[in-house]
Amino acid sequence: MAEKMGISVLEFKIRYLDVLKMDDGTLIYVLKLGKLCPFLNEENKECDCRDFKPIFCKIYPVIITLEDEKINFTIDNWCKLSRKKACRTYFETAIPLLSSFAIPVEWLRYVTSYDYLSFDYDQLEKCRRGKNKYAVFSLEELLSLQKTEIETASLYINLSQKIEEPVF
């Protein structure tokens, strides 16, 4: 990705990655946590990796979920496009194709294990400022920046919003 963006690997790490230091000393590079995707250019509102997006970005708002040890593809109702009938119909056509891929349940469980965590991003930014180049967090330190269930509950939105008819 760094090469495609025309930057060095070091610059890529500084801009887009944090480091998670595990209890055994292993360093794991993770995408910077924040209110927005770290690849979203806030100046022009464009994706910095739009020409070589990761697969999860390419198929969004179709998302992968794990229910009863079965992989499912659904549409994220949070996405405004998914509420427009014409767009939703288009996204729904991708689900059977995606469902034909053999995706290991263990892999998906690992990849999505942090999706349900909600962090205090203001505190996270303060912690990041005190670190050199890119932030190195211990697992304990990162988990201490989680919001409580009560704080997180206030963030949920109504996913049963009406699907809009297309306007042409």
Side-chain angles (χ1 to χ4, degrees):
M1 289 182 81
E3 183 180 320
K4 291 204 180 252
M5 297 174 97
I7 60 176
S8 70
V9 172
L10 179 61
E11 178 68 19
F12 182 87
K13 288 178 182 179
I14 292 168
R15 270 195 219 172
Y16 301 108
L17 303 177
D18 284 329
V19 180
L20 183 57
K21 185 174 185 176
M22 304 306 286
D23 292 339
D24 67 359
T26 303
L27 298 179
I28 299 174
Y29 291 88
V30 296
L31 208 53
K32 270 191 194 208
L33 295 169
K35 293 177 186 173
L36 300 171
C37 174
F39 293 112
L40 180 65
N41 183 317
E42 292 188 58
E43 291 174 19
N44 62 19
K45 303 296 183 210
E46 290 184 1
C47 175
D48 284 341
C49 66
R50 66 187 166 277
D51 297 329
F52 47 92
K53 288 182 180 183
I55 189 68
F56 287 114
C57 297
K58 286 182 180 182
I59 67 171
Y60 187 80
V62 176
I63 57 174
I64 305 172
T65 60
L66 184 62
E67 297 168 25
D68 299 323
E69 297 301 302
K70 184 176 183 284
I71 292 176
N72 297 304
F73 291 89
T74 58
I75 297 172
D76 186 352
N77 292 317
W78 183 81
C79 175
K80 290 179 182 178
L81 284 177
S82 74
R83 291 181 236 145
K84 296 191 179 297
K85 189 169 181 153
C87 293
R88 189 172 192 91
T89 301
Y90 174 77
F91 298 135
E92 286 170 346
T93 62
I95 291 175
L97 175 64
L98 293 169
S99 297
S100 69
F101 292 119
I103 299 171
V105 171
E106 301 79 30
W107 173 83
L108 183 61
R109 188 179 298 114
Y110 177 76
V111 167
T112 60
S113 62
Y114 62 88
D115 284 355
Y116 301 105
L117 301 177
S118 180
F119 293 92
D120 183 333
Y121 296 115
D122 294 327
Q123 282 299 109
L124 184 63
E125 277 305 311
K126 286 179 188 172
C127 285
R128 190 177 278 126
R129 275 188 229 127
K131 300 185 182 280
N132 290 333
K133 293 187 181 179
Y134 46 83
V136 178
F137 295 98
S138 69
L139 184 57
E140 183 179 321
E141 182 180 19
L142 187 61
L143 292 177
S144 74
L145 298 169
Q146 285 185 83
K147 288 190 173 193
T148 65
E149 274 188 52
I150 294 168
E151 291 171 309
T152 304
S154 69
L155 299 174
Y156 290 119
I157 58 174
N158 180 3
L159 297 180
S160 61
Q161 293 170 329
K162 181 181 167 227
I163 295 173
E164 301 169 14
E165 289 296 323
V167 177
F168 297 102

